[in-house]
Amino acid sequence: MKLSLRVKLAMTFVLVAVITGLALALVFRSANQVRFDQFVIDQQSERVKTLLEQYYTLNGSWVGLDQADLMLPGTMPGGMMGGQGGPGGQGGQGGQGGMGGRWQGNEGGMPQAGGQTDRRLFALADPDGKIIFTQVEDWELGDTPEKTVLDQGIPLTVDGVNVGKLITVRRLPIYTEAERIFMERTTRTLALSLLGAVVLAALLGVAIAGGLTKPLSALTEAARNLAAGKAGEKVPVDRQDEIGELSQAFNQMSEDLERSNQLRKQMTADIAHDLRTPLTVISGYIEAMRDGTLDANPERLALINSELNHLKLMVNDLRTLNQADAQELVLKKQRVDLMDLVGQTAEIFLPDTLST
């Protein structure tokens, strides 16, 4: 199927818009997910930091923290941390109790508040950098994370003294229902924006392609008319870009062709006139001699021969001109005697001068 240039340009604009939009969408979605995860982690880290500092303030150490489950802010009703025998409340099975709140744990000690998503996001390192409490599978108790990990941790201070660092994961392992809905809505909005951009690119592509192909169509029509013999065919020049330059070049070519045709017509008329004169002389003498009006004396025959030589020279000049037009003429340089050349030229016009 043959596609016009307008259709190809419009498809190109749409394809570029789709590729660019998809690339931007992927980058935006990835960056948005990273930023959203960091936002949620930072938000929950502040609450967990407060709970840990409260725990240390009440206990004076981290003793017993391994027996108290750390409750994520998004999964516990009271937002508190408790454990068996923890201060502020009576411990019980599954870690019931805590500082000012109640929560329920499952048999594995993981918080399951109200059926919400359970996530392991935090680990706690003591001032020496050893892990003393962890929810994250990457670290076990007694491990010492790398310095870069510790430097990115959140310092825990009680009365101006550093008592540890809260270490968080970089990405959320799982989303809550509300977070999942938020991400789905963000993705849906991004997809609709991409669809709108593609539609807009298609409309702009059609408009721009039409603006580009319209002068080209005019050039094509003018070229066809010029090939059909309509001399002086021109197209309007209303642009200052490459297409405008092409239109100007076409108009200049059309003018040159028209001028060349006029010159050829004039040259043809001149050649016909120049050929007619010696032919008329030769024809008149021959007819007069045939009819017996004039005698075929040497002088008349010499005149006829001179006119024939003139015709030969004119034919040779035409052949030379044709070779020059075809760029086949080879220029041969040679020395000449100017006096002889002037004398020969004078002898050509001498009979005419004597006859007058």
Side-chain angles (χ1 to χ4, degrees):
M1 182 177 61
K2 183 179 179 180
L3 298 178
S4 64
L5 180 60
R6 183 175 182 177
V7 175
K8 291 180 180 179
L9 288 174
M11 292 176 61
T12 301
F13 280 112
V14 173
L15 182 61
V16 170
V18 170
I19 294 176
T20 305
L22 287 176
L24 291 177
L26 291 176
V27 173
F28 177 81
R29 188 177 186 279
S30 178
N32 180 63
Q33 185 175 4
V34 171
R35 291 182 179 273
F36 180 75
D37 288 358
Q38 192 61 46
F39 170 78
V40 174
I41 292 173
D42 291 344
Q43 188 181 42
Q44 296 189 4
S45 296
E46 290 298 322
R47 300 180 64 181
V48 174
K49 176 178 180 294
T50 301
L51 294 175
L52 288 174
E53 290 177 346
Q54 290 178 356
Y55 180 89
Y56 192 92
T57 300
L58 294 175
N59 291 270
S61 67
W62 298 118
V63 176
L65 184 63
D66 55 341
Q67 299 178 358
D69 293 316
L70 180 63
M71 307 312 300
L72 299 180
T75 59
M76 62 181 180
M80 295 299 170
M81 176 182 63
Q84 184 176 2
Q90 182 177 359
Q93 183 179 2
Q96 184 176 359
M99 298 177 293
R102 296 173 61 84
W103 61 277
Q104 292 181 351
N106 58 12
E107 294 180 356
M110 295 304 303
Q112 300 287 341
Q116 297 185 10
T117 304
D118 172 38
R119 295 183 291 199
R120 298 173 174 243
L121 306 180
F122 305 101
L124 176 62
D126 62 13
D128 296 329
K130 291 185 178 181
I131 299 297
I132 58 176
F133 176 81
T134 181
Q135 291 180 320
V136 184
E137 296 178 354
D138 295 342
W139 300 297
E140 297 181 356
L141 296 178
D143 289 346
T144 301
E146 298 179 357
K147 185 176 183 301
T148 55
V149 176
L150 292 174
D151 292 340
Q152 295 174 357
I154 302 174
L156 302 176
T157 58
V158 175
D159 297 332
V161 179
N162 181 25
V163 296
K165 277 194 174 182
L166 178 63
I167 302 174
T168 64
V169 297
R170 304 296 298 272
R171 299 291 298 271
L172 291 176
I174 191 172
Y175 288 129
T176 64
E177 182 66 18
E179 293 166 354
R180 183 186 61 80
I181 293 175
F182 173 80
M183 293 300 296
E184 288 180 353
R185 289 178 178 177
T186 303
T187 303
R188 189 181 304 113
T189 303
L190 187 61
L192 293 176
S193 301
L194 177 60
L195 179 61
V198 171
V199 173
L200 180 60
L203 296 177
L204 290 177
V206 171
I208 295 175
L212 291 175
T213 56
K214 184 177 180 180
L216 294 179
S217 300
L219 280 171
T220 302
E221 184 66 23
R224 289 174 179 171
N225 294 335
L226 191 62
K230 295 182 180 180
E233 193 75 15
K234 293 184 179 181
V235 294
V237 180
D238 53 1
R239 305 169 67 102
Q240 300 298 325
D241 53 8
E242 288 80 0
I243 296 181
E245 294 178 358
L246 179 61
S247 301
Q248 292 178 355
F250 177 85
N251 292 339
Q252 184 64 43
M253 179 190 68
S254 180
E255 292 179 1
D256 294 341
L257 286 176
E258 184 180 12
R259 188 181 304 108
S260 177
N261 288 335
Q262 292 176 354
L263 291 176
R264 286 180 180 276
K265 291 179 181 179
Q266 183 64 38
M267 184 181 66
T268 303
D270 294 340
I271 291 174
H273 179 270
D274 292 340
L275 290 175
R276 189 181 296 113
T277 300
L279 285 174
T280 302
V281 173
I282 295 171
S283 176
Y285 273 101
I286 291 177
E287 289 180 1
M289 291 176 184
R290 185 183 61 184
D291 295 340
T293 306
L294 295 175
D295 295 332
N297 55 32
E299 290 80 5
R300 293 188 178 100
L301 293 176
L303 180 60
I304 293 174
N305 183 64
S306 176
E307 294 297 331
L308 288 174
N309 289 332
H310 188 198
L311 284 175
K312 289 180 180 179
L313 290 174
M314 294 180 65
V315 171
N316 288 333
D317 290 342
L318 289 176
R319 182 173 177 274
T320 302
L321 180 61
N322 183 54
Q323 289 178 338
D325 289 340
Q327 297 182 351
E328 297 177 354
L329 184 62
V330 178
L331 182 62
K332 295 182 179 180
K333 297 181 181 181
Q334 62 181 9
R335 294 180 178 274
V336 296
D337 189 341
L338 292 180
M339 295 301 297
D340 291 342
L341 180 61
V342 172
Q344 293 174 5
T345 306
E347 289 178 0
I348 295 174
F349 293 98
L350 185 58
D352 295 336
T353 304
L354 293 178
S355 63
T356 57

